[in-house]
């Protein structure tokens, strides 16, 4: 009997955050009209509570409300930072690694004429295709990759990616779930597919005891509702200092051109800051290949 594929729970939470923030948080800088259509009806309920600013009284619903609201506040500065880096350095190819429920291929007019590839697990991509069926515009090229078995370069080439043409790589919300060896191996694979002028945009988490405690608290809060945490099957496996990440990229020919923590971005955007430590421990590095 075949099993219906399910999106990563963190991918759904990120999409819920974007949907809750669309048109409400930093509206002149952030918008994502693809987020709501990519969610299933039951996933939209907590989004609407956040958009309405109505905190439910029932405990389980209140936890869902707070989780989605926190996601919205963290996702907006991250998305703006990455989108700005994509716009500032146009390339004919864009690859989104671990794309989840990303909507950039549909929502960013700057990508018209750009060949967009989305790399993810096969089951996750099947689920994404079903969810995205109603979106208007050209879809990305889906590149199903079993990261434990398939070679990224070969899978991309089979889907039409050209290693001799400059590529912008988006690596968002994935690095913490990989070991340091897996991160290094991925950077090696990307470098082999990156022509001169390619850009790598990496989002990662810095080491912080408070971040670990926060995740433990979040798991306990979710457990109090009788459900497992959204991160139960997707634990963090690595954190990086900016210096360590920059050194790794430099060994593969990438020079860092921008490095910022999301707390600074949130302040510049005047977005809500209820989770300053989480924002401050999340960074985005932009690195270019000469």
């Amino acid at each position: 009997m075949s099993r219906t594929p399910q999106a990563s729970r963190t991918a759904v939470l990120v999409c819920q955050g974007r949907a809750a923030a669309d048109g409400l948080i930093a509206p002149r800088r952030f918008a994502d009209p693809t987020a709501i259509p990519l969610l299933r009806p039951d996933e939209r309920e907590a989004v609407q509570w956040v958009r309405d600013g109505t905190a439910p009284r029932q405990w389980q619903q209140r936890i869902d409300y707070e989780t989605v609201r926190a996601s919205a506040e963290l996702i907006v500065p991250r998305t703006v930072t990455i989108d700005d880096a994509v716009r500032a350095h146009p390339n004919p190819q864009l690859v989104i690694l671990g794309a989840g429920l990303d909507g950039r291929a549909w929502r960013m007019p700057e990508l018209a004429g750009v060949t967009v590839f989305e790399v993810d697990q096969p089951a996750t991509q099947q689920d994404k295709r079903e969810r995205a069926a109603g979106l208007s515009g050209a879809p990305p090229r889906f590149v199903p990759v079993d990261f434990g078995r398939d070679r990224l370069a070969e899978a991309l080439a089979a889907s039409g990616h050209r290693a001799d043409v400059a590529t912008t790589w988006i690596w968002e919300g994935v690095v913490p779930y990989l070991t340091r060896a897996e991160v290094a191996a991925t950077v090696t694979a990307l470098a082999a597919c990156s022509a001169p002028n390619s850009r790598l945009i990496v989002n990662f988490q810095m080491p912080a005891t408070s971040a670990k405690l926060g995740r433990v608290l979040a798991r306990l809060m979710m457990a109090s509702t009788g459900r497992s945490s959204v991160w139960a099957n997707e634990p963090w496996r690595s954190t990086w200092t900016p210096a360590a990440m920059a050194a790794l990229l430099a060994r593969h020919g990438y020079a860092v051109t921008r490095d910022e923590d999301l707390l600074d971005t949130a302040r510049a955007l005047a977005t809500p800051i209820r989770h300053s430590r989480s924002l401050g421990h999340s960074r985005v590095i932009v690195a270019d290949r000469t």
Side-chain angles (χ1 to χ4, degrees):
M1 178 182 297
S2 62
R3 297 181 61 187
T4 302
Q6 294 184 342
S8 155
R9 291 178 67 190
T10 52
V12 171
L13 178 58
V14 168
C15 192
Q16 287 176 309
R18 296 198 309 267
D22 179 37
L24 297 179
I25 299 180
R28 295 183 180 180
R29 297 297 313 283
F30 173 86
D32 191 348
T34 70
I36 282 286
L38 285 169
L39 294 172
R40 305 201 186 281
D42 62 310
E43 297 162 351
R44 298 174 187 173
E45 187 174 24
V47 169
Q48 196 58 52
W49 296 332
V50 176
R51 292 185 64 82
D52 292 342
T54 305
R57 293 186 178 182
Q58 198 272 338
W59 179 247
Q60 180 173 306
Q61 294 178 341
R62 181 59 182 266
I63 294 298
D64 291 343
Y65 167 88
E66 295 293 350
T67 302
V68 171
R69 184 172 70 161
S71 175
E73 295 173 4
L74 296 172
I75 291 305
V76 169
R78 188 172 92 181
T79 301
V80 169
T81 299
I82 293 172
D83 287 359
D84 284 353
V86 171
R87 295 187 185 104
H89 191 88
N91 277 322
Q93 300 181 126
L94 174 73
V95 179
I96 305 173
L97 301 164
L101 298 179
D102 192 287
R104 288 185 174 91
W106 293 272
R107 70 171 174 80
M108 290 187 71
E110 297 87 351
L111 297 180
V114 174
T115 305
V116 180
F117 303 85
E118 287 194 0
V119 178
D120 220 325
Q121 298 285 348
T124 299
Q125 288 202 330
Q126 183 180 335
D127 178 76
K128 171 75 168 286
R129 287 173 182 261
E130 295 172 1
R131 290 169 179 263
L135 295 179
S136 60
R141 296 188 187 184
F142 292 101
V143 185
V145 172
D146 182 333
F147 291 99
R149 182 183 61 189
D150 301 330
R151 293 182 181 274
L152 179 60
E154 294 176 1
L156 281 168
S159 296
H161 179 264
R162 293 182 54 183
D164 61 336
V165 175
T167 300
T168 295
W169 306 87
I170 296 178
W171 204 8
E172 176 184 11
V174 178
V175 169
Y177 303 103
L178 304 176
T179 65
R180 295 181 75 86
E182 289 169 336
V183 172
T186 302
V187 174
T188 300
L190 300 187
C193 302
S194 294
N197 204 44
S198 290
R199 166 163 284 194
L200 175 55
I201 307 166
V202 186
N203 164 235
F204 61 96
Q205 302 292 325
M206 293 196 302
T209 301
S210 61
K212 293 180 181 179
L213 293 176
R215 288 173 65 81
V216 170
L217 179 60
R219 287 197 293 269
L220 292 174
M221 293 288 284
M222 188 62 72
S224 72
T225 70
R227 295 172 295 167
S228 64
S229 167
V230 67
W231 300 287
N233 297 318
E234 300 173 61
W236 279 7
R237 292 185 170 89
S238 71
T239 55
W240 297 75
T241 64
M245 180 59 72
L248 171 64
L249 299 181
R251 288 197 295 272
H252 293 84
Y254 293 100
V256 173
T257 57
R258 184 176 176 185
D259 173 15
E260 69 179 85
D261 70 64
L262 298 187
L263 181 57
D264 289 339
T265 306
R267 287 170 173 160
L269 294 171
T271 62
I273 300 177
R274 297 181 180 88
H275 304 275
S276 60
R277 289 182 178 178
S278 295
L279 284 165
H281 295 146
S282 185
R283 300 191 78 88
V284 172
I285 274 183
V286 180
D288 294 329
R289 206 154 194 262
T290 55

